[in-house]
Amino acid sequence: MPSWPAHRVAGVDAARGVALLGMMAVHVVPPLRPDGSVSTAFLIAAGRSSALFALLAGVGLALLAGGPTRRTGRDLTRVRLAVLVRAALLVLIGLLLGPLESGVAVILVYYGLLFAVAVPFLALGPRVGAGLAVGVALVVPVLSHLLRPLLPPASLAVPTTDFFDRPWLGSVSELTLTGYYPVLPWLAYLLAGMAVGSLRLRDPRVAARLLVGGLLLAVGARVVSALLLGPLGGLDVLRGLRPELFGLDLDTALTVGLFGTTPTDSWWWLAVAAPHTATPLDLATTTGSSLAVLGLLLLVLRRTHVWAEPLVAVGGMPLTLYT
């Protein structure tokens, strides 16, 4: 029998544990092997682990708001206030961790802002939440592509208190559109997670749909990207513009991942599905993989318990372990 509390959904905690371990892996394991090939950790976890982390944040918020039985009235107001307090604490902890020069692109400031942005959506049902997630994933990257040339260039600095000692437009734009984990396109993950968290996650049929639907979405987005970049010539155009990116040849860079966004010198950039590019196909690929991981663990942990307890324990205290 499982030893975790009955009110917790073990599959969700286990998925959060997977996300946390994946995020650790891509910050510890070098992206390239000595022979120049991309490391296994990056092939598996780059972009996917942080997306899973964000999607599960949405699941957690939905569960806090009542899950399938949504809270209303004063109960909902209390939840909203609690989420705002959590958001403020996450931002504060993130700002304190930033100056430690750990080499980690600390996500917590962005994460806290995502929590704050999510507050108006806490009462939404699964269909509306899923529809909004799709809309954000399709529309926001296009708007970002149009707006980023007009905004100050990203510093790619980890947010600290000094991060805000500059013109406000640079700080706000980096947090929302140009930084490591841009809040506006990443809202797609949170909304998708909130839609999932409104479902009956203990129902094996729901878990199976998440697994199958997530796999289809992830694979389908990758296939579409491959067609656009290959037979339709998008990658040749991008190679002509930038044969190298961040000191790597373009093909390797697109496998390892970028730093939150793509360049804006061609519309073909929106066809890539590389990690940490916040394009529609990247958001679709990583949302799909996140749904598949969650669905799989929800199914497996209906019957298999003992081996997963360490993973569930890790996922039950992600902020402590991440910090």
Side-chain angles (χ1 to χ4, degrees), residues 43 62 73-74 126 181 188 197 219 323:
L43 288 173
R74 291 183 178 179
Y181 314 103
V219 173
T323 300

Side-chain angles (χ1 to χ4, degrees), residues 53-122:
F53 202 55
L55 183 136
L56 291 169
V59 173
L61 290 178
L63 293 175
L64 187 66
T69 306
R70 312 301 285 177
R71 299 179 188 271
T72 57
R74 291 183 178 179
D75 283 345
L76 181 60
T77 300
R78 282 194 288 268
V79 169
R80 285 178 167 150
L81 290 174
V83 171
L84 286 174
V85 170
R86 292 186 184 195
L89 290 174
L90 286 170
V91 170
L92 176 60
I93 295 171
L95 292 175
L96 294 175
L97 291 176
L100 297 181
E101 298 184 359
S102 61
V104 174
V106 179
I107 196 174
L108 293 183
V109 173
Y110 298 90
Y111 204 54
L113 290 177
L114 274 172
F115 271 49
V117 173
V119 167
F121 304 107
L122 286 173

Side-chain angles (χ1 to χ4, degrees), residues 28-43:
V28 172
V29 178
L32 301 179
R33 301 187 183 99
D35 63 1
S37 62
V38 179
S39 66
T40 302
F42 270 74
L43 288 173

Side-chain angles (χ1 to χ4, degrees), residues 176-267:
T176 56
L177 287 174
T178 66
Y180 281 115
Y181 314 103
V183 166
L184 292 183
W186 276 54
L187 183 59
Y189 296 133
L190 208 71
L191 290 169
M194 292 170 70
V196 170
S198 301
L199 304 174
R200 299 188 181 278
L201 296 179
R202 299 183 192 274
D203 186 337
R205 294 171 296 179
V206 170
R209 289 169 188 156
L210 292 176
L211 173 58
V212 175
L215 287 173
L216 291 174
L217 178 59
V219 173
R222 277 287 179 178
V223 169
V224 170
S225 177
L227 289 173
L228 291 171
L229 296 178
L232 296 180
L235 188 56
D236 290 335
V237 174
L238 298 180
R239 287 192 188 116
L241 290 170
R242 295 175 182 261
E244 291 189 356
L245 202 58
F246 304 113
L248 301 172
D249 67 87
L250 182 61
D251 295 76
T252 302
L254 292 180
T255 303
V256 170
L258 306 189
F259 292 91
T261 58
T262 64
T264 56
D265 48 8
S266 171
W267 285 100

